[in-house]
């Protein structure tokens, strides 16, 4: 089983995410960490799904380019 830190090592989590680039998001909740199954964009200070253009309501702890 992959640990939280091992997952975090594969993602960026420091600083501001790049604006307007398709990113894969690592999120976390009370069950652990998970990767969203769809790409997202950082727009106007918030993560948005490219599928629905709605804000991501999950606790995003990391991102990486698709």
């Amino acid at each position: 089983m992959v640990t939280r830190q091992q997952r975090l090592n594969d993602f960026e989590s420091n600083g501001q995410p790049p604006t307007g680039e398709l990113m894969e998001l690592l999120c976390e909740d009370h069950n652990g960490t998970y990767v969203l199954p769809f790409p997202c964009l950082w727009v106007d200070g918030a993560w948005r799904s490219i599928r629905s253009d709605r804000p991501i309501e999950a606790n995003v702890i990391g991102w990486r380019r698709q």
Side-chain angles (χ1 to χ4, degrees):
M1 179 178 234
V2 178
T3 67
R4 179 182 189 272
Q5 189 57 52
Q6 287 170 318
R7 282 215 175 188
L8 272 172
N9 290 343
D10 291 336
F11 287 82
E12 179 64 44
S13 60
N14 295 318
Q16 181 107 354
T19 301
E21 291 187 40
L22 290 180
M23 303 298 251
E24 186 172 39
L25 300 184
L26 178 66
C27 300
E28 183 173 57
D29 64 16
H30 65 281
N31 291 315
T33 59
Y34 56 94
V35 177
L36 293 182
F38 49 84
C40 297
L41 295 169
W42 179 255
V43 179
D44 297 328
W47 287 108
R48 301 186 80 78
S49 165
I50 67 161
R51 287 186 178 173
S52 67
D53 196 37
R54 296 181 64 171
I56 300 300
E57 296 181 15
N59 180 28
V60 177
I61 61 170
W63 59 88
R64 65 182 173 199
R65 286 180 177 82
Q66 283 248 261

Short mmCIF file of all heavy atoms in Angstrom, two decimals:
data_model
loop_
_atom_site.label_atom_id
_atom_site.label_comp_id
_atom_site.label_asym_id
_atom_site.label_seq_id
_atom_site.Cartn_x
_atom_site.Cartn_y
_atom_site.Cartn_z
N MET A 1 0.84 -1.18 0.00
CA MET A 1 0.00 0.00 0.00
C MET A 1 0.89 1.25 0.00
O MET A 1 1.86 1.32 0.73
CB MET A 1 -0.91 -0.02 1.22
CG MET A 1 -1.80 1.18 1.32
SD MET A 1 -2.88 1.03 2.74
CE MET A 1 -4.42 1.25 1.95
N VAL A 2 0.53 2.20 -0.81
CA VAL A 2 1.29 3.44 -0.92
C VAL A 2 0.95 4.36 0.25
O VAL A 2 -0.21 4.53 0.60
CB VAL A 2 0.95 4.14 -2.25
CG1 VAL A 2 1.69 5.46 -2.38
CG2 VAL A 2 1.27 3.25 -3.43
N THR A 3 1.97 4.95 0.85
CA THR A 3 1.75 5.85 1.97
C THR A 3 1.39 7.26 1.47
O THR A 3 1.61 7.59 0.30
CB THR A 3 3.00 5.97 2.86
OG1 THR A 3 4.03 6.63 2.12
CG2 THR A 3 3.46 4.60 3.33
N ARG A 4 0.88 8.06 2.36
CA ARG A 4 0.54 9.45 2.04
C ARG A 4 1.77 10.17 1.52
O ARG A 4 1.72 10.88 0.52
CB ARG A 4 -0.01 10.14 3.29
CG ARG A 4 -0.37 11.59 3.06
CD ARG A 4 -0.86 12.23 4.38
NE ARG A 4 -1.41 13.53 4.17
CZ ARG A 4 -0.71 14.65 4.17
NH1 ARG A 4 0.61 14.63 4.34
NH2 ARG A 4 -1.31 15.81 3.99
N GLN A 5 2.90 10.01 2.19
CA GLN A 5 4.11 10.71 1.78
C GLN A 5 4.59 10.25 0.41
O GLN A 5 5.04 11.06 -0.40
CB GLN A 5 5.23 10.54 2.80
CG GLN A 5 6.43 11.42 2.53
CD GLN A 5 6.08 12.90 2.47
OE1 GLN A 5 5.44 13.44 3.38
NE2 GLN A 5 6.44 13.57 1.40
N GLN A 6 4.47 8.97 0.11
CA GLN A 6 4.87 8.47 -1.21
C GLN A 6 4.01 9.10 -2.30
O GLN A 6 4.51 9.47 -3.36
CB GLN A 6 4.76 6.95 -1.26
CG GLN A 6 5.85 6.25 -0.47
CD GLN A 6 5.59 4.76 -0.33
OE1 GLN A 6 4.47 4.32 -0.08
NE2 GLN A 6 6.64 3.97 -0.47
N ARG A 7 2.72 9.24 -2.05
CA ARG A 7 1.85 9.90 -3.03
C ARG A 7 2.22 11.37 -3.17
O ARG A 7 2.31 11.89 -4.28
CB ARG A 7 0.39 9.80 -2.60
CG ARG A 7 -0.19 8.48 -2.90
CD ARG A 7 -1.62 8.63 -3.29
NE ARG A 7 -2.07 7.31 -3.67
CZ ARG A 7 -3.22 7.07 -4.20
NH1 ARG A 7 -4.04 8.05 -4.43
NH2 ARG A 7 -3.56 5.86 -4.53
N LEU A 8 2.43 12.04 -2.04
CA LEU A 8 2.80 13.46 -2.09
C LEU A 8 4.10 13.69 -2.86
O LEU A 8 4.25 14.70 -3.54
CB LEU A 8 2.94 14.03 -0.67
CG LEU A 8 1.68 14.58 -0.04
CD1 LEU A 8 1.94 14.93 1.42
CD2 LEU A 8 1.18 15.79 -0.79
N ASN A 9 5.03 12.76 -2.76
CA ASN A 9 6.31 12.89 -3.46
C ASN A 9 6.13 12.95 -4.98
O ASN A 9 6.98 13.48 -5.67
CB ASN A 9 7.25 11.75 -3.10
CG ASN A 9 7.75 11.83 -1.68
OD1 ASN A 9 7.67 12.88 -1.03
ND2 ASN A 9 8.25 10.72 -1.17
N ASP A 10 5.04 12.40 -5.48
CA ASP A 10 4.77 12.39 -6.92
C ASP A 10 4.04 13.65 -7.39
O ASP A 10 3.80 13.81 -8.59
CB ASP A 10 3.93 11.17 -7.30
CG ASP A 10 4.69 9.88 -7.17
OD1 ASP A 10 5.94 9.90 -7.23
OD2 ASP A 10 4.04 8.83 -7.01
N PHE A 11 3.67 14.52 -6.47
CA PHE A 11 2.90 15.73 -6.79
C PHE A 11 3.60 16.96 -6.24
O PHE A 11 4.34 16.89 -5.27
CB PHE A 11 1.50 15.64 -6.16
CG PHE A 11 0.59 14.67 -6.84
CD1 PHE A 11 0.66 13.31 -6.54
CD2 PHE A 11 -0.33 15.09 -7.77
CE1 PHE A 11 -0.17 12.40 -7.17
CE2 PHE A 11 -1.18 14.19 -8.40
CZ PHE A 11 -1.10 12.84 -8.10
N GLU A 12 3.32 18.10 -6.86
CA GLU A 12 3.79 19.39 -6.37
C GLU A 12 2.77 19.88 -5.36
O GLU A 12 1.57 19.67 -5.51
CB GLU A 12 3.88 20.38 -7.54
CG GLU A 12 4.33 21.76 -7.16
CD GLU A 12 5.75 21.79 -6.62
OE1 GLU A 12 6.63 21.14 -7.19
OE2 GLU A 12 5.95 22.47 -5.60
N SER A 13 3.24 20.53 -4.31
CA SER A 13 2.30 21.04 -3.32
C SER A 13 2.73 22.39 -2.75
O SER A 13 2.06 22.93 -1.89
CB SER A 13 2.11 20.04 -2.18
OG SER A 13 3.34 19.79 -1.54
N ASN A 14 3.82 22.93 -3.24
CA ASN A 14 4.32 24.21 -2.74
C ASN A 14 4.10 25.31 -3.76
O ASN A 14 4.25 25.10 -4.96
CB ASN A 14 5.82 24.12 -2.43
CG ASN A 14 6.10 23.15 -1.31
OD1 ASN A 14 5.39 23.12 -0.31
ND2 ASN A 14 7.13 22.36 -1.47
N GLY A 15 3.77 26.48 -3.27
CA GLY A 15 3.59 27.62 -4.15
C GLY A 15 2.26 27.63 -4.85
O GLY A 15 1.36 26.86 -4.54
N GLN A 16 2.17 28.52 -5.81
CA GLN A 16 0.94 28.69 -6.58
C GLN A 16 0.94 27.74 -7.78
O GLN A 16 1.94 27.65 -8.50
CB GLN A 16 0.85 30.13 -7.07
CG GLN A 16 -0.37 30.43 -7.86
CD GLN A 16 -1.35 31.26 -7.10
OE1 GLN A 16 -1.16 31.54 -5.92
NE2 GLN A 16 -2.39 31.67 -7.75
N PRO A 17 -0.15 27.04 -8.04
CA PRO A 17 -0.22 26.17 -9.22
C PRO A 17 -0.19 27.01 -10.50
O PRO A 17 -0.60 28.17 -10.50
CB PRO A 17 -1.57 25.49 -9.09
CG PRO A 17 -2.03 25.74 -7.70
CD PRO A 17 -1.35 26.97 -7.23
N PRO A 18 0.29 26.43 -11.60
CA PRO A 18 0.27 27.15 -12.87
C PRO A 18 -1.17 27.40 -13.34
O PRO A 18 -2.01 26.51 -13.26
CB PRO A 18 1.00 26.23 -13.84
CG PRO A 18 1.41 25.03 -13.09
CD PRO A 18 0.90 25.13 -11.70
N THR A 19 -1.43 28.59 -13.80
CA THR A 19 -2.77 28.95 -14.26
C THR A 19 -3.02 28.44 -15.67
O THR A 19 -2.15 28.52 -16.53
CB THR A 19 -2.93 30.49 -14.25
OG1 THR A 19 -2.71 30.95 -12.92
CG2 THR A 19 -4.30 30.93 -14.71
N GLY A 20 -4.20 27.89 -15.88
CA GLY A 20 -4.64 27.51 -17.21
C GLY A 20 -4.02 26.24 -17.79
O GLY A 20 -4.18 25.98 -18.98
N GLU A 21 -3.34 25.43 -16.99
CA GLU A 21 -2.77 24.18 -17.48
C GLU A 21 -3.56 23.00 -16.92
O GLU A 21 -3.96 23.01 -15.76
CB GLU A 21 -1.32 24.05 -17.02
CG GLU A 21 -0.38 25.02 -17.68
CD GLU A 21 1.07 24.72 -17.32
OE1 GLU A 21 1.45 23.53 -17.27
OE2 GLU A 21 1.80 25.68 -17.08
N LEU A 22 -3.75 21.98 -17.73
CA LEU A 22 -4.45 20.78 -17.27
C LEU A 22 -3.60 20.08 -16.22
O LEU A 22 -2.43 19.79 -16.45
CB LEU A 22 -4.71 19.82 -18.42
CG LEU A 22 -5.74 20.25 -19.44
CD1 LEU A 22 -5.88 19.20 -20.53
CD2 LEU A 22 -7.07 20.54 -18.79
N MET A 23 -4.21 19.83 -15.07
CA MET A 23 -3.50 19.22 -13.96
C MET A 23 -4.28 18.03 -13.40
O MET A 23 -5.51 17.99 -13.47
CB MET A 23 -3.29 20.24 -12.84
CG MET A 23 -2.55 21.48 -13.27
SD MET A 23 -0.89 21.12 -13.82
CE MET A 23 0.02 21.79 -12.50
N GLU A 24 -3.54 17.09 -12.85
CA GLU A 24 -4.11 15.97 -12.11
C GLU A 24 -4.00 16.36 -10.64
O GLU A 24 -2.95 16.82 -10.19
CB GLU A 24 -3.27 14.73 -12.42
CG GLU A 24 -3.82 13.47 -11.84
CD GLU A 24 -3.04 12.26 -12.34
OE1 GLU A 24 -1.80 12.34 -12.47
OE2 GLU A 24 -3.67 11.23 -12.59
N LEU A 25 -5.07 16.17 -9.88
CA LEU A 25 -5.11 16.60 -8.49
C LEU A 25 -5.07 15.44 -7.52
O LEU A 25 -5.76 14.45 -7.70
CB LEU A 25 -6.37 17.42 -8.21
CG LEU A 25 -6.55 18.70 -9.02
CD1 LEU A 25 -7.79 19.44 -8.54
CD2 LEU A 25 -5.33 19.59 -8.96
N LEU A 26 -4.25 15.62 -6.47
CA LEU A 26 -4.22 14.69 -5.34
C LEU A 26 -5.03 15.34 -4.23
O LEU A 26 -4.76 16.48 -3.83
CB LEU A 26 -2.78 14.45 -4.88
CG LEU A 26 -2.61 13.54 -3.66
CD1 LEU A 26 -3.05 12.11 -3.99
CD2 LEU A 26 -1.15 13.55 -3.21
N CYS A 27 -6.04 14.63 -3.75
CA CYS A 27 -6.92 15.16 -2.72
C CYS A 27 -6.85 14.26 -1.49
O CYS A 27 -6.34 13.14 -1.54
CB CYS A 27 -8.35 15.22 -3.23
SG CYS A 27 -8.53 16.29 -4.68
N GLU A 28 -7.40 14.78 -0.39
CA GLU A 28 -7.36 14.03 0.86
C GLU A 28 -8.65 14.24 1.63
O GLU A 28 -9.20 15.35 1.64
CB GLU A 28 -6.16 14.51 1.68
CG GLU A 28 -5.95 13.78 2.98
CD GLU A 28 -4.66 14.21 3.65
OE1 GLU A 28 -4.49 15.42 3.92
OE2 GLU A 28 -3.82 13.34 3.90
N ASP A 29 -9.12 13.18 2.27
CA ASP A 29 -10.25 13.28 3.18
C ASP A 29 -10.01 12.33 4.35
O ASP A 29 -8.91 11.81 4.51
CB ASP A 29 -11.59 13.01 2.48
CG ASP A 29 -11.73 11.60 1.93
OD1 ASP A 29 -10.95 10.70 2.34
OD2 ASP A 29 -12.62 11.38 1.10
N HIS A 30 -11.03 12.08 5.15
CA HIS A 30 -10.87 11.25 6.35
C HIS A 30 -10.51 9.80 6.03
O HIS A 30 -10.06 9.07 6.89
CB HIS A 30 -12.15 11.31 7.20
CG HIS A 30 -13.34 10.73 6.53
ND1 HIS A 30 -14.05 11.43 5.57
CD2 HIS A 30 -13.93 9.53 6.64
CE1 HIS A 30 -15.04 10.68 5.14
NE2 HIS A 30 -15.00 9.51 5.77
N ASN A 31 -10.70 9.37 4.77
CA ASN A 31 -10.35 8.01 4.36
C ASN A 31 -8.92 7.88 3.83
O ASN A 31 -8.42 6.78 3.70
CB ASN A 31 -11.31 7.51 3.29
CG ASN A 31 -12.69 7.28 3.83
OD1 ASN A 31 -12.85 6.70 4.89
ND2 ASN A 31 -13.69 7.75 3.11
N GLY A 32 -8.31 8.99 3.48
CA GLY A 32 -6.95 8.96 2.93
C GLY A 32 -6.82 9.85 1.71
O GLY A 32 -7.57 10.80 1.54
N THR A 33 -5.83 9.53 0.86
CA THR A 33 -5.58 10.33 -0.34
C THR A 33 -6.14 9.62 -1.57
O THR A 33 -6.26 8.41 -1.60
CB THR A 33 -4.08 10.57 -0.53
OG1 THR A 33 -3.41 9.32 -0.66
CG2 THR A 33 -3.48 11.37 0.61
N TYR A 34 -6.47 10.42 -2.57
CA TYR A 34 -6.98 9.89 -3.82
C TYR A 34 -6.72 10.90 -4.93
O TYR A 34 -6.57 12.09 -4.68
CB TYR A 34 -8.48 9.58 -3.72
CG TYR A 34 -9.32 10.75 -3.29
CD1 TYR A 34 -9.94 11.57 -4.23
CD2 TYR A 34 -9.50 11.04 -1.93
CE1 TYR A 34 -10.70 12.66 -3.82
CE2 TYR A 34 -10.26 12.11 -1.52
CZ TYR A 34 -10.86 12.92 -2.47
OH TYR A 34 -11.61 13.98 -2.07
N VAL A 35 -6.65 10.40 -6.17
CA VAL A 35 -6.45 11.24 -7.34
C VAL A 35 -7.80 11.39 -8.04
O VAL A 35 -8.51 10.39 -8.26
CB VAL A 35 -5.41 10.61 -8.29
CG1 VAL A 35 -5.26 11.43 -9.55
CG2 VAL A 35 -4.07 10.46 -7.59
N LEU A 36 -8.16 12.62 -8.37
CA LEU A 36 -9.41 12.83 -9.09
C LEU A 36 -9.31 12.19 -10.47
O LEU A 36 -8.26 12.28 -11.12
CB LEU A 36 -9.72 14.32 -9.23
CG LEU A 36 -10.05 15.06 -7.93
CD1 LEU A 36 -10.38 16.52 -8.22
CD2 LEU A 36 -11.20 14.39 -7.19
N PRO A 37 -10.39 11.59 -10.97
CA PRO A 37 -10.35 10.85 -12.24
C PRO A 37 -10.53 11.74 -13.47
O PRO A 37 -10.78 11.24 -14.56
CB PRO A 37 -11.51 9.87 -12.10
CG PRO A 37 -12.48 10.59 -11.24
CD PRO A 37 -11.64 11.38 -10.26
N PHE A 38 -10.42 13.05 -13.31
CA PHE A 38 -10.59 13.98 -14.43
C PHE A 38 -9.62 15.15 -14.24
O PHE A 38 -9.25 15.49 -13.12
CB PHE A 38 -12.03 14.48 -14.51
CG PHE A 38 -12.57 14.97 -13.19
CD1 PHE A 38 -12.33 16.26 -12.74
CD2 PHE A 38 -13.30 14.11 -12.38
CE1 PHE A 38 -12.82 16.69 -11.52
CE2 PHE A 38 -13.80 14.53 -11.16
CZ PHE A 38 -13.55 15.83 -10.73
N PRO A 39 -9.18 15.77 -15.33
CA PRO A 39 -8.25 16.90 -15.23
C PRO A 39 -8.95 18.16 -14.72
O PRO A 39 -10.16 18.33 -14.87
CB PRO A 39 -7.74 17.08 -16.65
CG PRO A 39 -8.73 16.40 -17.52
CD PRO A 39 -9.44 15.38 -16.69
N CYS A 40 -8.14 19.02 -14.13
CA CYS A 40 -8.65 20.27 -13.57
C CYS A 40 -7.73 21.42 -13.97
O CYS A 40 -6.60 21.22 -14.38
CB CYS A 40 -8.70 20.18 -12.05
SG CYS A 40 -9.83 18.92 -11.45
N LEU A 41 -8.25 22.63 -13.81
CA LEU A 41 -7.50 23.85 -14.09
C LEU A 41 -7.50 24.74 -12.86
O LEU A 41 -8.50 24.80 -12.13
CB LEU A 41 -8.15 24.64 -15.24
CG LEU A 41 -8.16 24.02 -16.61
CD1 LEU A 41 -9.07 24.83 -17.54
CD2 LEU A 41 -6.76 23.95 -17.18
N TRP A 42 -6.41 25.46 -12.63
CA TRP A 42 -6.34 26.49 -11.59
C TRP A 42 -6.72 27.80 -12.26
O TRP A 42 -6.02 28.30 -13.15
CB TRP A 42 -4.92 26.56 -11.04
CG TRP A 42 -4.72 27.57 -9.98
CD1 TRP A 42 -4.06 28.77 -10.11
CD2 TRP A 42 -5.12 27.51 -8.61
NE1 TRP A 42 -4.05 29.44 -8.93
CE2 TRP A 42 -4.70 28.69 -7.98
CE3 TRP A 42 -5.82 26.57 -7.87
CZ2 TRP A 42 -4.94 28.94 -6.64
CZ3 TRP A 42 -6.06 26.83 -6.53
CH2 TRP A 42 -5.63 27.99 -5.93
N VAL A 43 -7.87 28.38 -11.88
CA VAL A 43 -8.38 29.58 -12.51
C VAL A 43 -8.89 30.53 -11.42
O VAL A 43 -9.70 30.14 -10.58
CB VAL A 43 -9.55 29.26 -13.47
CG1 VAL A 43 -10.10 30.52 -14.12
CG2 VAL A 43 -9.11 28.26 -14.52
N ASP A 44 -8.40 31.76 -11.44
CA ASP A 44 -8.85 32.78 -10.49
C ASP A 44 -8.78 32.31 -9.04
O ASP A 44 -9.71 32.53 -8.25
CB ASP A 44 -10.26 33.25 -10.82
CG ASP A 44 -10.35 33.93 -12.18
OD1 ASP A 44 -9.36 34.57 -12.58
OD2 ASP A 44 -11.40 33.82 -12.83
N GLY A 45 -7.71 31.62 -8.68
CA GLY A 45 -7.50 31.22 -7.30
C GLY A 45 -8.28 30.01 -6.84
O GLY A 45 -8.40 29.77 -5.63
N ALA A 46 -8.83 29.23 -7.78
CA ALA A 46 -9.60 28.04 -7.41
C ALA A 46 -9.40 26.95 -8.44
O ALA A 46 -9.19 27.21 -9.63
CB ALA A 46 -11.09 28.38 -7.31
N TRP A 47 -9.49 25.70 -7.98
CA TRP A 47 -9.44 24.55 -8.89
C TRP A 47 -10.81 24.36 -9.50
O TRP A 47 -11.82 24.44 -8.80
CB TRP A 47 -9.03 23.30 -8.13
CG TRP A 47 -7.60 23.28 -7.75
CD1 TRP A 47 -7.07 23.43 -6.50
CD2 TRP A 47 -6.49 23.10 -8.63
NE1 TRP A 47 -5.70 23.35 -6.56
CE2 TRP A 47 -5.31 23.16 -7.86
CE3 TRP A 47 -6.36 22.90 -10.01
CZ2 TRP A 47 -4.04 23.02 -8.40
CZ3 TRP A 47 -5.09 22.77 -10.55
CH2 TRP A 47 -3.96 22.83 -9.75
N ARG A 48 -10.84 24.09 -10.82
CA ARG A 48 -12.10 23.86 -11.52
C ARG A 48 -11.98 22.61 -12.37
O ARG A 48 -10.97 22.36 -12.99
CB ARG A 48 -12.45 25.05 -12.40
CG ARG A 48 -12.59 26.34 -11.60
CD ARG A 48 -13.09 27.47 -12.45
NE ARG A 48 -14.52 27.43 -12.66
CZ ARG A 48 -15.44 27.81 -11.79
NH1 ARG A 48 -15.09 28.23 -10.62
NH2 ARG A 48 -16.71 27.75 -12.09
N SER A 49 -13.06 21.85 -12.39
CA SER A 49 -13.15 20.67 -13.25
C SER A 49 -13.30 21.11 -14.69
O SER A 49 -14.09 22.02 -14.98
CB SER A 49 -14.37 19.83 -12.85
OG SER A 49 -14.67 18.90 -13.85
N ILE A 50 -12.57 20.47 -15.61
CA ILE A 50 -12.79 20.82 -17.02
C ILE A 50 -14.05 20.15 -17.55
O ILE A 50 -14.57 20.55 -18.58
CB ILE A 50 -11.57 20.49 -17.91
CG1 ILE A 50 -11.34 19.00 -18.00
CG2 ILE A 50 -10.35 21.23 -17.46
CD1 ILE A 50 -10.49 18.61 -19.18
N ARG A 51 -14.55 19.15 -16.87
CA ARG A 51 -15.79 18.48 -17.30
C ARG A 51 -17.01 19.37 -17.08
O ARG A 51 -17.88 19.49 -17.92
CB ARG A 51 -15.99 17.18 -16.54
CG ARG A 51 -15.06 16.10 -16.97
CD ARG A 51 -15.43 14.82 -16.25
NE ARG A 51 -14.58 13.74 -16.68
CZ ARG A 51 -14.59 12.55 -16.13
NH1 ARG A 51 -15.41 12.28 -15.14
NH2 ARG A 51 -13.78 11.61 -16.56
N SER A 52 -17.09 19.96 -15.90
CA SER A 52 -18.30 20.71 -15.54
C SER A 52 -18.05 22.21 -15.36
O SER A 52 -19.00 22.96 -15.22
CB SER A 52 -18.87 20.17 -14.23
OG SER A 52 -17.97 20.44 -13.16
N ASP A 53 -16.79 22.62 -15.33
CA ASP A 53 -16.38 24.00 -15.05
C ASP A 53 -16.83 24.45 -13.66
O ASP A 53 -16.92 25.62 -13.37
CB ASP A 53 -16.91 24.97 -16.11
CG ASP A 53 -16.18 26.31 -16.03
OD1 ASP A 53 -14.96 26.32 -15.76
OD2 ASP A 53 -16.85 27.36 -16.20
N ARG A 54 -17.09 23.49 -12.77
CA ARG A 54 -17.47 23.80 -11.39
C ARG A 54 -16.23 23.77 -10.49
O ARG A 54 -15.29 23.02 -10.76
CB ARG A 54 -18.50 22.80 -10.89
CG ARG A 54 -19.79 22.89 -11.70
CD ARG A 54 -20.79 21.95 -11.20
NE ARG A 54 -21.14 22.36 -9.83
CZ ARG A 54 -22.13 21.84 -9.15
NH1 ARG A 54 -22.85 20.90 -9.67
NH2 ARG A 54 -22.39 22.25 -7.94
N PRO A 55 -16.25 24.54 -9.41
CA PRO A 55 -15.12 24.49 -8.47
C PRO A 55 -15.00 23.12 -7.82
O PRO A 55 -15.99 22.44 -7.57
CB PRO A 55 -15.49 25.54 -7.41
CG PRO A 55 -16.58 26.35 -8.00
CD PRO A 55 -17.27 25.51 -9.02
N ILE A 56 -13.77 22.73 -7.54
CA ILE A 56 -13.49 21.48 -6.83
C ILE A 56 -13.68 21.75 -5.34
O ILE A 56 -13.08 22.67 -4.79
CB ILE A 56 -12.05 21.00 -7.12
CG1 ILE A 56 -11.86 20.76 -8.62
CG2 ILE A 56 -11.71 19.77 -6.31
CD1 ILE A 56 -12.78 19.73 -9.22
N GLU A 57 -14.49 20.95 -4.70
CA GLU A 57 -14.78 21.15 -3.28
C GLU A 57 -13.94 20.26 -2.38
O GLU A 57 -14.03 20.34 -1.17
CB GLU A 57 -16.26 20.94 -3.02
CG GLU A 57 -17.12 21.97 -3.75
CD GLU A 57 -18.59 21.79 -3.48
OE1 GLU A 57 -18.96 21.07 -2.54
OE2 GLU A 57 -19.38 22.39 -4.23
N ALA A 58 -13.10 19.42 -2.96
CA ALA A 58 -12.25 18.52 -2.18
C ALA A 58 -11.05 19.28 -1.61
O ALA A 58 -10.71 20.37 -2.07
CB ALA A 58 -11.75 17.39 -3.08
N ASN A 59 -10.40 18.68 -0.62
CA ASN A 59 -9.18 19.24 -0.04
C ASN A 59 -8.00 18.83 -0.93
O ASN A 59 -7.49 17.72 -0.83
CB ASN A 59 -9.00 18.72 1.39
CG ASN A 59 -7.76 19.26 2.04
OD1 ASN A 59 -7.31 20.35 1.72
ND2 ASN A 59 -7.20 18.49 2.95
N VAL A 60 -7.56 19.73 -1.80
CA VAL A 60 -6.47 19.46 -2.74
C VAL A 60 -5.14 19.64 -2.00
O VAL A 60 -4.88 20.69 -1.42
CB VAL A 60 -6.54 20.41 -3.96
CG1 VAL A 60 -5.35 20.17 -4.89
CG2 VAL A 60 -7.86 20.21 -4.69
N ILE A 61 -4.31 18.59 -2.03
CA ILE A 61 -3.02 18.66 -1.34
C ILE A 61 -1.84 18.56 -2.31
O ILE A 61 -0.69 18.69 -1.89
CB ILE A 61 -2.89 17.57 -0.24
CG1 ILE A 61 -3.00 16.17 -0.83
CG2 ILE A 61 -3.92 17.81 0.86
CD1 ILE A 61 -2.66 15.06 0.16
N GLY A 62 -2.11 18.36 -3.59
CA GLY A 62 -1.04 18.31 -4.57
C GLY A 62 -1.56 18.32 -5.98
O GLY A 62 -2.74 18.06 -6.22
N TRP A 63 -0.69 18.65 -6.93
CA TRP A 63 -1.06 18.70 -8.34
C TRP A 63 0.15 18.33 -9.19
O TRP A 63 1.29 18.42 -8.75
CB TRP A 63 -1.57 20.08 -8.73
CG TRP A 63 -0.56 21.17 -8.48
CD1 TRP A 63 0.43 21.61 -9.34
CD2 TRP A 63 -0.39 21.94 -7.28
NE1 TRP A 63 1.18 22.59 -8.75
CE2 TRP A 63 0.69 22.81 -7.48
CE3 TRP A 63 -1.06 21.96 -6.07
CZ2 TRP A 63 1.12 23.70 -6.49
CZ3 TRP A 63 -0.62 22.86 -5.09
CH2 TRP A 63 0.44 23.70 -5.31
N ARG A 64 -0.14 17.87 -10.41
CA ARG A 64 0.92 17.61 -11.38
C ARG A 64 0.33 17.73 -12.78
O ARG A 64 -0.88 17.56 -12.97
CB ARG A 64 1.55 16.23 -11.18
CG ARG A 64 0.63 15.06 -11.41
CD ARG A 64 1.34 13.76 -11.13
NE ARG A 64 0.40 12.64 -11.20
CZ ARG A 64 0.63 11.45 -10.67
NH1 ARG A 64 1.76 11.22 -10.03
NH2 ARG A 64 -0.25 10.50 -10.78
N ARG A 65 1.20 18.04 -13.72
CA ARG A 65 0.75 18.17 -15.11
C ARG A 65 0.26 16.83 -15.64
O ARG A 65 0.79 15.80 -15.29
CB ARG A 65 1.88 18.69 -15.99
CG ARG A 65 2.14 20.15 -15.77
CD ARG A 65 3.26 20.66 -16.66
NE ARG A 65 3.43 22.09 -16.47
CZ ARG A 65 4.12 22.64 -15.48
NH1 ARG A 65 4.71 21.90 -14.59
NH2 ARG A 65 4.23 23.95 -15.38
N GLN A 66 -0.74 16.89 -16.47
CA GLN A 66 -1.30 15.68 -17.06
C GLN A 66 -0.38 15.13 -18.11
O GLN A 66 0.26 15.78 -18.81
CB GLN A 66 -2.65 15.98 -17.67
CG GLN A 66 -3.68 16.07 -16.59
CD GLN A 66 -4.65 14.94 -16.66
OE1 GLN A 66 -5.71 15.14 -17.18
NE2 GLN A 66 -4.32 13.78 -16.16
#
